[in-house]
Amino acid sequence: MPEFSHLDEDGNVKMVDISMKPGTMRTARASGYITMKPETLLLLKENDLPKGNVLVTAKIAGIQAAKRTSGLVPLCHQLNLAWIDIDFTLEADRIAIAATVKTKEATGVEMEALTAVTVAALTVYDMCKAVDKSMEIGGVKLEMKTGGKSGVSTVYRPRTAILVVSDSIAAGRSVDRSGQILREGFEQAGCPVEGCRIVADEPADIAAVVEEWVREELELVITCGGTGLGPRDVTVETLLPKFTKRLPGVEQALFQWGQGKIKTAMLSRLAAGTIGASVVICLPGSVGAAKDALEVLVPVLFHAFEMMQGEGHK
């Protein structure tokens, strides 16, 4: 069973902490309906109801409700909404309602879209109840959402390997945490992790392991460690000359994600590219960098392997 993000270890409610997630473009669309008598619909069409223009009022109410969702639903985050629109379709015995909400934030806007539909329907009910006691509201559901992890559709999962580059971990003076986070993250995403090694910051050792995995046709090779400014940080220098193609978009996404959280991320020298048919990504060795990489790469990066197999852009 998946864990509930709104419950802590003791089963108490909690708000999800999104403070470390930079914003991305997100969209949600929800729909619902309100049924009514045909004669009520006729009065509505002719703008002949006692409380005035029903649909204009309902649209304003739905927009206002979307902006106030965090005050209605206790654990919702307060979001800066970029756009809200509500459409009404008049049918034989009902009004179909659809709401679309957009934001550039760290979490989705499903609740805002659902709230907009619900309050718009309630407003229609309130403005028509004087002439129609038979109205019913129903069918409120999420139609679509984009952005975040759920906004990326790809089924392919690459054969993956993780190389931890660290003198202290290789010597047993420190415990590997970043490599374990990466392994667990990719496994949870459905990737078969077929290799996991730890080596010292030695160019020959780094190159030997990566070249072995490339020969074994492992599709995704992740290294963590050796991307800083220290004299022993040699991962990028070792692997960059072996790249057959650079992946600057992946590098930029990782840089921007990290710098949105901590300014010192600008000092990292992470790199991404291909060596033969393998995608190789060199990450910093920190726990934060490992978590950031999972946020950025999963599952968007998996589309690269579909592209490499000739399936093109989606």
Side-chain angles (χ1 to χ4, degrees):
M1 291 288 292
E3 294 182 358
F4 287 101
S5 59
H6 287 82
L7 296 177
D8 63 19
E9 296 176 351
D10 299 320
N12 300 312
V13 295
K14 67 172 184 178
M15 194 173 188
V16 177
D17 184 0
I18 60 170
S19 60
M20 296 300 288
K21 294 177 64 177
T24 59
M25 183 59 68
R26 298 169 186 263
T27 303
R29 180 180 175 86
S31 64
Y33 61 81
I34 179 169
T35 62
M36 59 182 60
K37 295 175 181 178
E39 50 266 37
T40 307
L41 273 170
L42 182 60
L43 290 171
L44 186 148
K45 289 178 183 179
E46 296 178 351
N47 197 20
D48 201 22
L49 285 161
K51 288 192 175 182
N53 193 314
V54 173
L55 298 186
V56 169
T57 306
K59 182 169 185 173
I60 293 171
I63 290 172
Q64 289 294 93
K67 293 190 289 185
R68 297 178 180 178
T69 301
S70 62
L72 299 170
V73 182
L75 299 180
C76 264
H77 296 88
Q78 186 174 5
L79 302 179
N80 182 21
L81 303 184
W83 186 69
I84 309 164
D85 194 30
I86 302 176
D87 295 320
F88 301 94
T89 303
L90 304 185
E91 301 175 356
D93 64 344
R94 67 176 60 191
I95 301 174
I97 307 171
T100 305
V101 183
K102 292 183 179 181
T103 189
K104 190 173 183 182
E105 287 276 9
T107 190
V109 284
E110 304 98 304
M111 296 308 302
E112 286 73 12
L114 291 164
T115 300
V117 169
T118 302
V119 172
L122 287 169
T123 303
V124 172
Y125 191 103
D126 179 60
M127 297 190 72
C128 298
K129 68 179 186 292
V131 298
D132 191 344
K133 306 297 184 184
S134 69
M135 292 180 292
E136 292 185 7
I137 295 171
V140 178
K141 62 182 178 180
L142 182 68
E143 296 278 358
M144 173 274 293
K145 63 173 291 189
T146 64
K149 293 184 179 181
S150 60
V152 182
S153 176
T154 180
V155 298
Y156 194 84
R157 295 295 182 265
R159 298 169 59 221
T160 302
I162 297 162
L163 177 63
V164 176
V165 181
S166 168
D167 286 336
S168 61
I169 295 174
R173 297 192 302 271
S174 301
V175 176
D176 169 44
R177 295 176 59 200
S178 300
Q180 188 62 30
I181 289 170
L182 289 167
R183 177 170 189 161
E184 291 174 358
F186 281 104
E187 286 178 340
Q188 289 173 6
C191 297
V193 178
E194 300 183 13
C196 196
R197 305 265 189 94
I198 299 172
V199 298
D201 292 276
E202 295 290 345
D205 296 341
I206 297 167
V209 174
V210 172
E211 289 169 357
E212 175 189 337
W213 285 340
V214 170
R215 288 194 302 270
E216 293 176 357
E217 299 182 343
L218 295 183
E219 298 159 288
L220 176 61
V221 175
I222 304 290
T223 74
C224 60
T227 64
L229 298 176
R232 296 284 291 171
D233 290 324
V234 295
T235 302
V236 173
E237 287 82 358
T238 300
L239 297 179
L240 201 57
K242 302 180 183 296
F243 282 5
T244 49
K245 292 180 181 179
R246 292 290 293 271
L247 294 174
V250 174
E251 296 174 356
Q252 291 168 13
L254 289 166
F255 273 125
Q256 291 173 358
W257 198 267
Q259 289 179 37
K261 298 179 178 182
I262 180 170
K263 292 299 183 182
T264 53
M266 71 175 68
L267 301 176
S268 172
R269 297 180 303 114
L270 59 83
T274 61
I275 301 178
S278 302
V279 173
V280 179
I281 300 176
C282 305
L283 301 173
S286 68
V287 167
K291 292 179 178 178
D292 288 349
L294 292 172
E295 289 278 357
V296 175
L297 300 176
V298 178
V300 181
L301 181 68
F302 303 157
H303 179 45
F305 301 95
E306 295 172 334
M307 293 172 62
M308 292 169 71
Q309 294 173 8
E311 296 188 20
H313 287 283
K314 291 187 177 179

Short mmCIF file of all heavy atoms in Angstrom, two decimals, residues 17-24 26 106 148-149 177-183 185-186 222-224 227 249-266 268 270 281-301:
data_model
loop_
_atom_site.label_atom_id
_atom_site.label_comp_id
_atom_site.label_asym_id
_atom_site.label_seq_id
_atom_site.Cartn_x
_atom_site.Cartn_y
_atom_site.Cartn_z
N ASP A 17 5.59 19.15 3.25
CA ASP A 17 6.59 20.21 3.14
C ASP A 17 7.10 20.28 1.71
O ASP A 17 7.78 19.36 1.23
CB ASP A 17 7.74 19.94 4.10
CG ASP A 17 8.77 21.06 4.10
OD1 ASP A 17 8.59 22.05 3.37
OD2 ASP A 17 9.77 20.95 4.84
N ILE A 18 6.76 21.35 0.99
CA ILE A 18 7.23 21.51 -0.39
C ILE A 18 8.23 22.67 -0.50
O ILE A 18 8.49 23.16 -1.59
CB ILE A 18 6.05 21.74 -1.35
CG1 ILE A 18 5.27 23.00 -0.95
CG2 ILE A 18 5.13 20.53 -1.38
CD1 ILE A 18 4.24 23.43 -1.99
N SER A 19 8.77 23.10 0.63
CA SER A 19 9.63 24.28 0.64
C SER A 19 10.90 24.09 -0.18
O SER A 19 11.49 25.07 -0.64
CB SER A 19 10.00 24.65 2.08
OG SER A 19 10.70 23.58 2.71
N MET A 20 11.33 22.85 -0.38
CA MET A 20 12.57 22.60 -1.10
C MET A 20 12.33 22.23 -2.56
O MET A 20 13.25 21.82 -3.26
CB MET A 20 13.35 21.48 -0.40
CG MET A 20 13.81 21.83 1.00
SD MET A 20 14.89 23.28 1.04
CE MET A 20 16.38 22.60 0.32
N LYS A 21 11.09 22.37 -3.03
CA LYS A 21 10.79 22.04 -4.43
C LYS A 21 10.59 23.32 -5.24
O LYS A 21 9.65 24.07 -4.98
CB LYS A 21 9.52 21.18 -4.51
CG LYS A 21 9.64 19.81 -3.89
CD LYS A 21 8.32 19.07 -3.96
CE LYS A 21 7.92 18.80 -5.39
NZ LYS A 21 6.66 18.01 -5.47
N PRO A 22 11.45 23.58 -6.22
CA PRO A 22 11.23 24.75 -7.08
C PRO A 22 9.95 24.61 -7.89
O PRO A 22 9.48 23.51 -8.16
CB PRO A 22 12.47 24.74 -7.99
CG PRO A 22 13.50 23.93 -7.25
CD PRO A 22 12.71 22.90 -6.49
N GLY A 23 9.39 25.72 -8.30
CA GLY A 23 8.14 25.69 -9.04
C GLY A 23 8.30 25.25 -10.48
O GLY A 23 9.32 25.52 -11.12
N THR A 24 7.29 24.58 -11.00
CA THR A 24 7.22 24.21 -12.41
C THR A 24 5.79 24.48 -12.89
O THR A 24 4.87 24.60 -12.10
CB THR A 24 7.56 22.73 -12.64
OG1 THR A 24 6.64 21.91 -11.89
CG2 THR A 24 8.98 22.41 -12.19
N ARG A 26 2.21 23.90 -14.00
CA ARG A 26 1.25 22.84 -13.70
C ARG A 26 -0.15 23.29 -14.11
O ARG A 26 -0.52 24.45 -13.95
CB ARG A 26 1.27 22.50 -12.20
CG ARG A 26 2.63 21.96 -11.72
CD ARG A 26 2.67 21.90 -10.21
NE ARG A 26 3.99 21.52 -9.73
CZ ARG A 26 4.36 20.29 -9.40
NH1 ARG A 26 3.49 19.30 -9.51
NH2 ARG A 26 5.58 20.02 -8.95
N ALA A 106 5.23 24.68 -6.80
CA ALA A 106 5.89 23.42 -6.44
C ALA A 106 4.93 22.28 -6.21
O ALA A 106 5.36 21.16 -5.92
CB ALA A 106 6.75 23.64 -5.19
N GLY A 148 4.82 18.41 -12.96
CA GLY A 148 5.27 17.48 -11.93
C GLY A 148 5.56 16.12 -12.54
O GLY A 148 5.61 15.93 -13.74
N LYS A 149 5.70 15.11 -11.69
CA LYS A 149 6.02 13.77 -12.17
C LYS A 149 4.87 13.14 -12.93
O LYS A 149 5.07 12.43 -13.91
CB LYS A 149 6.42 12.87 -11.00
CG LYS A 149 7.73 13.28 -10.35
CD LYS A 149 8.11 12.31 -9.27
CE LYS A 149 9.43 12.69 -8.63
NZ LYS A 149 9.85 11.75 -7.57
N ARG A 177 25.32 7.32 1.78
CA ARG A 177 23.89 7.62 1.88
C ARG A 177 23.33 8.03 0.52
O ARG A 177 22.22 7.64 0.17
CB ARG A 177 23.66 8.74 2.90
CG ARG A 177 24.02 8.35 4.33
CD ARG A 177 23.87 9.54 5.27
NE ARG A 177 22.50 10.06 5.26
CZ ARG A 177 22.17 11.28 5.66
NH1 ARG A 177 23.10 12.11 6.11
NH2 ARG A 177 20.91 11.67 5.63
N SER A 178 24.10 8.80 -0.23
CA SER A 178 23.61 9.30 -1.51
C SER A 178 23.36 8.19 -2.51
O SER A 178 22.34 8.15 -3.20
CB SER A 178 24.61 10.31 -2.09
OG SER A 178 24.79 11.40 -1.22
N GLY A 179 24.30 7.26 -2.60
CA GLY A 179 24.13 6.15 -3.53
C GLY A 179 22.92 5.30 -3.18
O GLY A 179 22.18 4.84 -4.06
N GLN A 180 22.69 5.11 -1.88
CA GLN A 180 21.54 4.34 -1.44
C GLN A 180 20.23 5.05 -1.80
O GLN A 180 19.26 4.42 -2.21
CB GLN A 180 21.62 4.10 0.07
CG GLN A 180 20.57 3.15 0.61
CD GLN A 180 20.69 1.74 0.03
OE1 GLN A 180 21.77 1.30 -0.32
NE2 GLN A 180 19.56 1.06 -0.08
N ILE A 181 20.22 6.38 -1.62
CA ILE A 181 19.03 7.15 -1.99
C ILE A 181 18.75 7.02 -3.48
O ILE A 181 17.59 6.83 -3.90
CB ILE A 181 19.21 8.63 -1.59
CG1 ILE A 181 19.15 8.78 -0.07
CG2 ILE A 181 18.17 9.52 -2.27
CD1 ILE A 181 19.55 10.16 0.43
N LEU A 182 19.79 7.13 -4.28
CA LEU A 182 19.61 7.00 -5.73
C LEU A 182 19.13 5.61 -6.12
O LEU A 182 18.22 5.46 -6.95
CB LEU A 182 20.93 7.32 -6.44
CG LEU A 182 21.35 8.79 -6.41
CD1 LEU A 182 22.80 8.94 -6.86
CD2 LEU A 182 20.43 9.64 -7.28
N ARG A 183 19.73 4.61 -5.50
CA ARG A 183 19.32 3.23 -5.83
C ARG A 183 17.84 3.01 -5.47
O ARG A 183 17.08 2.49 -6.29
CB ARG A 183 20.20 2.23 -5.07
CG ARG A 183 19.77 0.78 -5.32
CD ARG A 183 20.77 -0.20 -4.77
NE ARG A 183 20.44 -1.55 -5.20
CZ ARG A 183 21.28 -2.56 -5.19
NH1 ARG A 183 22.52 -2.38 -4.78
NH2 ARG A 183 20.91 -3.74 -5.61
N GLY A 185 15.54 5.24 -5.09
CA GLY A 185 14.67 6.08 -5.91
C GLY A 185 14.43 5.52 -7.29
O GLY A 185 13.29 5.49 -7.78
N PHE A 186 15.48 5.04 -7.94
CA PHE A 186 15.33 4.48 -9.28
C PHE A 186 14.60 3.14 -9.24
O PHE A 186 13.81 2.83 -10.14
CB PHE A 186 16.68 4.36 -9.97
CG PHE A 186 17.18 5.66 -10.54
CD1 PHE A 186 18.19 6.37 -9.91
CD2 PHE A 186 16.61 6.19 -11.68
CE1 PHE A 186 18.63 7.58 -10.41
CE2 PHE A 186 17.05 7.40 -12.20
CZ PHE A 186 18.06 8.10 -11.57
N ILE A 222 24.71 6.46 -13.35
CA ILE A 222 24.70 7.64 -12.49
C ILE A 222 25.93 7.57 -11.59
O ILE A 222 26.14 6.58 -10.89
CB ILE A 222 23.45 7.68 -11.60
CG1 ILE A 222 22.18 7.62 -12.44
CG2 ILE A 222 23.46 8.92 -10.72
CD1 ILE A 222 21.89 8.85 -13.25
N THR A 223 26.74 8.62 -11.60
CA THR A 223 27.84 8.72 -10.64
C THR A 223 27.49 9.81 -9.64
O THR A 223 26.85 10.81 -9.98
CB THR A 223 29.18 9.07 -11.32
OG1 THR A 223 29.20 10.45 -11.71
CG2 THR A 223 29.41 8.18 -12.53
N CYS A 224 27.90 9.62 -8.38
CA CYS A 224 27.71 10.68 -7.39
C CYS A 224 29.01 10.87 -6.63
O CYS A 224 29.60 9.93 -6.12
CB CYS A 224 26.54 10.39 -6.46
SG CYS A 224 26.65 8.89 -5.48
N THR A 227 32.47 16.04 -8.08
CA THR A 227 32.13 17.12 -8.99
C THR A 227 32.42 18.49 -8.41
O THR A 227 32.02 19.51 -8.99
CB THR A 227 30.62 17.05 -9.37
OG1 THR A 227 29.84 17.28 -8.19
CG2 THR A 227 30.26 15.71 -9.97
N GLY A 249 20.61 20.20 -21.66
CA GLY A 249 19.32 20.44 -21.04
C GLY A 249 19.21 19.76 -19.69
O GLY A 249 18.65 20.33 -18.73
N VAL A 250 19.74 18.55 -19.59
CA VAL A 250 19.73 17.83 -18.31
C VAL A 250 20.61 18.56 -17.30
O VAL A 250 20.22 18.75 -16.14
CB VAL A 250 20.22 16.39 -18.50
CG1 VAL A 250 20.37 15.67 -17.16
CG2 VAL A 250 19.27 15.61 -19.41
N GLU A 251 21.78 19.00 -17.75
CA GLU A 251 22.67 19.75 -16.85
C GLU A 251 22.01 21.03 -16.34
O GLU A 251 22.05 21.33 -15.14
CB GLU A 251 23.97 20.09 -17.59
CG GLU A 251 24.78 18.87 -17.99
CD GLU A 251 25.97 19.22 -18.85
OE1 GLU A 251 26.13 20.41 -19.21
OE2 GLU A 251 26.76 18.31 -19.18
N GLN A 252 21.37 21.78 -17.26
CA GLN A 252 20.73 23.03 -16.87
C GLN A 252 19.59 22.79 -15.89
O GLN A 252 19.41 23.55 -14.93
CB GLN A 252 20.23 23.76 -18.11
CG GLN A 252 21.34 24.29 -18.99
CD GLN A 252 20.83 24.74 -20.34
OE1 GLN A 252 19.63 24.90 -20.56
NE2 GLN A 252 21.75 24.96 -21.27
N ALA A 253 18.80 21.74 -16.14
CA ALA A 253 17.68 21.44 -15.25
C ALA A 253 18.17 21.11 -13.85
O ALA A 253 17.61 21.57 -12.84
CB ALA A 253 16.86 20.29 -15.81
N LEU A 254 19.24 20.32 -13.77
CA LEU A 254 19.80 19.97 -12.46
C LEU A 254 20.38 21.19 -11.76
O LEU A 254 20.20 21.38 -10.55
CB LEU A 254 20.86 18.88 -12.63
CG LEU A 254 20.35 17.49 -13.01
CD1 LEU A 254 21.50 16.60 -13.48
CD2 LEU A 254 19.63 16.83 -11.84
N PHE A 255 21.10 22.04 -12.53
CA PHE A 255 21.66 23.26 -11.95
C PHE A 255 20.56 24.16 -11.41
O PHE A 255 20.63 24.65 -10.28
CB PHE A 255 22.48 24.02 -13.00
CG PHE A 255 23.91 23.58 -13.11
CD1 PHE A 255 24.44 23.18 -14.32
CD2 PHE A 255 24.74 23.59 -11.99
CE1 PHE A 255 25.76 22.78 -14.42
CE2 PHE A 255 26.07 23.20 -12.08
CZ PHE A 255 26.57 22.79 -13.31
N GLN A 256 19.54 24.42 -12.22
CA GLN A 256 18.47 25.33 -11.82
C GLN A 256 17.72 24.80 -10.61
O GLN A 256 17.37 25.56 -9.71
CB GLN A 256 17.52 25.54 -13.00
CG GLN A 256 18.14 26.34 -14.13
CD GLN A 256 17.25 26.41 -15.35
OE1 GLN A 256 16.17 25.82 -15.39
NE2 GLN A 256 17.69 27.11 -16.37
N TRP A 257 17.48 23.49 -10.60
CA TRP A 257 16.76 22.89 -9.47
C TRP A 257 17.55 23.07 -8.17
O TRP A 257 17.01 23.46 -7.15
CB TRP A 257 16.52 21.42 -9.76
CG TRP A 257 15.45 20.77 -8.93
CD1 TRP A 257 15.61 20.10 -7.75
CD2 TRP A 257 14.06 20.72 -9.22
NE1 TRP A 257 14.41 19.62 -7.30
CE2 TRP A 257 13.43 19.99 -8.19
CE3 TRP A 257 13.27 21.21 -10.25
CZ2 TRP A 257 12.07 19.74 -8.16
CZ3 TRP A 257 11.91 20.96 -10.24
CH2 TRP A 257 11.33 20.24 -9.20
N GLY A 258 18.86 22.78 -8.26
CA GLY A 258 19.71 22.90 -7.08
C GLY A 258 19.88 24.33 -6.61
O GLY A 258 19.81 24.62 -5.41
N GLN A 259 20.07 25.26 -7.56
CA GLN A 259 20.29 26.66 -7.19
C GLN A 259 19.02 27.30 -6.65
O GLN A 259 19.09 28.29 -5.92
CB GLN A 259 20.79 27.44 -8.40
CG GLN A 259 22.22 27.07 -8.78
CD GLN A 259 22.72 27.82 -9.99
OE1 GLN A 259 22.41 28.98 -10.18
NE2 GLN A 259 23.49 27.15 -10.83
N GLY A 260 17.86 26.73 -7.00
CA GLY A 260 16.62 27.23 -6.43
C GLY A 260 16.50 26.93 -4.95
O GLY A 260 15.65 27.50 -4.26
N LYS A 261 17.33 26.02 -4.44
CA LYS A 261 17.28 25.62 -3.04
C LYS A 261 18.46 26.14 -2.24
O LYS A 261 18.32 26.55 -1.09
CB LYS A 261 17.24 24.09 -2.94
CG LYS A 261 16.00 23.47 -3.59
CD LYS A 261 16.05 21.96 -3.46
CE LYS A 261 14.81 21.32 -4.04
NZ LYS A 261 14.83 19.85 -3.90
N ILE A 262 19.65 26.06 -2.84
CA ILE A 262 20.85 26.43 -2.10
C ILE A 262 21.83 27.09 -3.07
O ILE A 262 22.12 26.56 -4.15
CB ILE A 262 21.49 25.20 -1.42
CG1 ILE A 262 22.74 25.59 -0.65
CG2 ILE A 262 21.78 24.08 -2.41
CD1 ILE A 262 23.28 24.48 0.23
N LYS A 263 22.32 28.27 -2.71
CA LYS A 263 23.15 29.05 -3.62
C LYS A 263 24.47 28.38 -3.95
O LYS A 263 25.01 28.55 -5.03
CB LYS A 263 23.42 30.43 -3.00
CG LYS A 263 22.18 31.32 -2.89
CD LYS A 263 21.58 31.59 -4.25
CE LYS A 263 20.39 32.54 -4.14
NZ LYS A 263 19.76 32.79 -5.46
N THR A 264 25.01 27.59 -3.01
CA THR A 264 26.30 26.95 -3.26
C THR A 264 26.22 25.89 -4.36
O THR A 264 27.26 25.39 -4.81
CB THR A 264 26.84 26.30 -1.98
OG1 THR A 264 25.84 25.43 -1.43
CG2 THR A 264 27.18 27.37 -0.95
N ALA A 265 25.00 25.56 -4.82
CA ALA A 265 24.88 24.61 -5.92
C ALA A 265 25.55 25.13 -7.19
O ALA A 265 25.93 24.36 -8.06
CB ALA A 265 23.41 24.29 -6.20
N MET A 266 25.73 26.45 -7.28
CA MET A 266 26.38 27.01 -8.46
C MET A 266 27.84 26.58 -8.58
O MET A 266 28.46 26.69 -9.65
CB MET A 266 26.30 28.54 -8.42
CG MET A 266 27.18 29.20 -7.37
SD MET A 266 27.17 31.00 -7.43
CE MET A 266 25.49 31.35 -6.91
N SER A 268 28.90 23.53 -8.21
CA SER A 268 28.99 22.15 -8.67
C SER A 268 29.38 22.11 -10.14
O SER A 268 29.05 22.99 -10.93
CB SER A 268 27.65 21.44 -8.48
OG SER A 268 27.67 20.18 -9.08
N LEU A 270 28.56 19.36 -12.17
CA LEU A 270 27.89 18.16 -12.66
C LEU A 270 27.89 18.15 -14.19
O LEU A 270 28.01 19.18 -14.85
CB LEU A 270 26.47 18.09 -12.11
CG LEU A 270 25.48 19.23 -12.40
CD1 LEU A 270 24.81 19.08 -13.73
CD2 LEU A 270 24.44 19.28 -11.29
N ILE A 281 25.37 10.39 -16.16
CA ILE A 281 25.11 11.64 -15.46
C ILE A 281 25.98 11.68 -14.21
O ILE A 281 25.92 10.77 -13.37
CB ILE A 281 23.63 11.78 -15.08
CG1 ILE A 281 22.77 11.74 -16.35
CG2 ILE A 281 23.38 13.06 -14.30
CD1 ILE A 281 21.29 11.78 -16.10
N CYS A 282 26.78 12.72 -14.11
CA CYS A 282 27.70 12.88 -12.98
C CYS A 282 27.11 13.88 -12.00
O CYS A 282 26.98 15.07 -12.30
CB CYS A 282 29.06 13.37 -13.46
SG CYS A 282 29.81 12.33 -14.74
N LEU A 283 26.77 13.40 -10.81
CA LEU A 283 26.11 14.22 -9.80
C LEU A 283 27.04 14.52 -8.64
O LEU A 283 27.97 13.76 -8.37
CB LEU A 283 24.88 13.47 -9.25
CG LEU A 283 23.79 13.07 -10.24
CD1 LEU A 283 22.76 12.20 -9.53
CD2 LEU A 283 23.14 14.29 -10.84
N PRO A 284 26.77 15.60 -7.91
CA PRO A 284 27.49 15.82 -6.65
C PRO A 284 27.20 14.69 -5.67
O PRO A 284 26.21 13.97 -5.80
CB PRO A 284 26.92 17.16 -6.16
CG PRO A 284 26.38 17.82 -7.37
CD PRO A 284 25.88 16.72 -8.25
N GLY A 285 28.04 14.57 -4.66
CA GLY A 285 27.91 13.45 -3.74
C GLY A 285 27.03 13.69 -2.53
O GLY A 285 26.89 12.80 -1.70
N SER A 286 26.39 14.84 -2.44
CA SER A 286 25.59 15.14 -1.25
C SER A 286 24.24 14.44 -1.30
O SER A 286 23.72 14.10 -2.37
CB SER A 286 25.37 16.64 -1.12
OG SER A 286 24.53 17.10 -2.15
N VAL A 287 23.67 14.26 -0.12
CA VAL A 287 22.33 13.68 -0.02
C VAL A 287 21.31 14.56 -0.72
O VAL A 287 20.42 14.08 -1.42
CB VAL A 287 21.96 13.49 1.47
CG1 VAL A 287 20.48 13.19 1.62
CG2 VAL A 287 22.79 12.37 2.09
N GLY A 288 21.45 15.88 -0.54
CA GLY A 288 20.53 16.80 -1.18
C GLY A 288 20.58 16.70 -2.69
O GLY A 288 19.54 16.74 -3.36
N ALA A 289 21.78 16.56 -3.25
CA ALA A 289 21.92 16.44 -4.70
C ALA A 289 21.28 15.16 -5.22
O ALA A 289 20.68 15.14 -6.29
CB ALA A 289 23.39 16.49 -5.09
N ALA A 290 21.39 14.09 -4.44
CA ALA A 290 20.78 12.82 -4.84
C ALA A 290 19.26 12.95 -4.87
O ALA A 290 18.59 12.50 -5.82
CB ALA A 290 21.20 11.71 -3.89
N LYS A 291 18.70 13.58 -3.84
CA LYS A 291 17.25 13.77 -3.80
C LYS A 291 16.78 14.70 -4.92
O LYS A 291 15.75 14.46 -5.56
CB LYS A 291 16.83 14.32 -2.44
CG LYS A 291 17.04 13.34 -1.29
CD LYS A 291 16.64 13.96 0.04
CE LYS A 291 16.79 12.97 1.19
NZ LYS A 291 16.44 13.59 2.51
N ASP A 292 17.56 15.76 -5.17
CA ASP A 292 17.21 16.68 -6.25
C ASP A 292 17.22 15.96 -7.59
O ASP A 292 16.34 16.18 -8.43
CB ASP A 292 18.21 17.83 -6.30
CG ASP A 292 18.05 18.80 -5.14
OD1 ASP A 292 17.04 18.70 -4.42
OD2 ASP A 292 18.94 19.65 -4.97
N ALA A 293 18.21 15.11 -7.80
CA ALA A 293 18.32 14.40 -9.07
C ALA A 293 17.10 13.53 -9.33
O ALA A 293 16.60 13.46 -10.45
CB ALA A 293 19.59 13.55 -9.09
N LEU A 294 16.61 12.87 -8.30
CA LEU A 294 15.42 12.05 -8.46
C LEU A 294 14.22 12.91 -8.82
O LEU A 294 13.40 12.52 -9.67
CB LEU A 294 15.15 11.25 -7.19
CG LEU A 294 16.17 10.16 -6.86
CD1 LEU A 294 15.91 9.58 -5.48
CD2 LEU A 294 16.15 9.06 -7.91
N GLU A 295 14.11 14.09 -8.20
CA GLU A 295 13.01 15.00 -8.51
C GLU A 295 13.06 15.43 -9.97
O GLU A 295 12.04 15.51 -10.65
CB GLU A 295 13.07 16.23 -7.61
CG GLU A 295 12.72 15.96 -6.16
CD GLU A 295 11.22 15.93 -5.93
OE1 GLU A 295 10.46 16.18 -6.88
OE2 GLU A 295 10.81 15.65 -4.79
N VAL A 296 14.25 15.73 -10.46
CA VAL A 296 14.41 16.25 -11.82
C VAL A 296 14.35 15.15 -12.88
O VAL A 296 13.68 15.30 -13.91
CB VAL A 296 15.76 17.01 -11.94
CG1 VAL A 296 16.00 17.45 -13.38
CG2 VAL A 296 15.77 18.20 -11.01
N LEU A 297 15.02 14.04 -12.63
CA LEU A 297 15.23 13.04 -13.67
C LEU A 297 14.08 12.05 -13.83
O LEU A 297 13.83 11.55 -14.93
CB LEU A 297 16.52 12.26 -13.39
CG LEU A 297 17.81 13.09 -13.33
CD1 LEU A 297 18.99 12.20 -12.95
CD2 LEU A 297 18.07 13.78 -14.67
N VAL A 298 13.39 11.74 -12.74
CA VAL A 298 12.36 10.70 -12.77
C VAL A 298 10.99 11.34 -12.94
O VAL A 298 10.61 12.18 -12.12
CB VAL A 298 12.40 9.86 -11.47
CG1 VAL A 298 11.30 8.83 -11.47
CG2 VAL A 298 13.76 9.18 -11.31
N PRO A 299 10.21 10.96 -13.96
CA PRO A 299 10.54 10.01 -15.03
C PRO A 299 10.93 10.69 -16.33
O PRO A 299 11.02 10.02 -17.37
CB PRO A 299 9.21 9.27 -15.20
CG PRO A 299 8.19 10.34 -15.00
CD PRO A 299 8.77 11.30 -13.97
N VAL A 300 11.16 12.02 -16.34
CA VAL A 300 11.38 12.75 -17.58
C VAL A 300 12.54 12.16 -18.38
O VAL A 300 12.45 11.99 -19.60
CB VAL A 300 11.66 14.24 -17.29
CG1 VAL A 300 11.87 15.01 -18.57
CG2 VAL A 300 10.50 14.85 -16.50
N LEU A 301 13.64 11.83 -17.71
CA LEU A 301 14.82 11.33 -18.40
C LEU A 301 14.54 10.05 -19.17
O LEU A 301 15.17 9.78 -20.20
CB LEU A 301 15.95 11.10 -17.39
CG LEU A 301 17.27 10.59 -17.98
CD1 LEU A 301 17.92 11.66 -18.84
CD2 LEU A 301 18.21 10.15 -16.88
#
